[in-house]
Amino acid sequence: MAIILRLDRVMADRKITLNELSAKVGISTVNLSNLKTGKVKAIRFSTLDAVCDVLDCQPGDILEYQRVPTAIER
């Protein structure tokens, strides 16, 4: 996948646990854990908004685009 989730890094920088963030954002710890470990295919803007609000960060702090070479470029 070309999108890399950096939620774990931002959480560590803010010194907030998964349980604390889950309670403040209002989503389950399991869903937040899946987001943190990159096991999701999509994220709702409302969830991203809530996470950014609690962590006082920008979406670009959490999401990173990494270009994947095409078959022709390899």
Side-chain angles (χ1 to χ4, degrees):
M1 180 186 294
I3 302 294
I4 298 172
L5 293 163
R6 302 289 186 201
L7 181 59
D8 55 343
R9 181 186 302 168
V10 177
M11 288 175 60
D13 289 346
R14 305 298 193 273
K15 294 178 176 56
I16 189 169
T17 67
L18 193 64
N19 289 332
E20 289 173 317
L21 184 59
S22 172
K24 290 180 179 183
V25 171
I27 64 172
S28 74
T29 305
V30 171
N31 286 339
L32 195 56
S33 177
N34 286 336
L35 180 62
K36 181 180 167 186
T37 58
K39 296 179 183 175
V40 295
K41 299 283 183 195
I43 182 172
R44 292 177 187 225
F45 281 135
S46 58
T47 301
L48 184 59
D49 179 60
V51 168
C52 287
D53 183 50
V54 170
L55 295 177
D56 189 29
C57 67
Q58 294 294 315
D61 297 331
I62 296 172
L63 304 172
E64 179 182 323
Y65 174 74
Q66 186 175 56
R67 191 167 183 277
V68 178
T70 63
I72 296 171
E73 295 173 328
R74 291 182 203 159

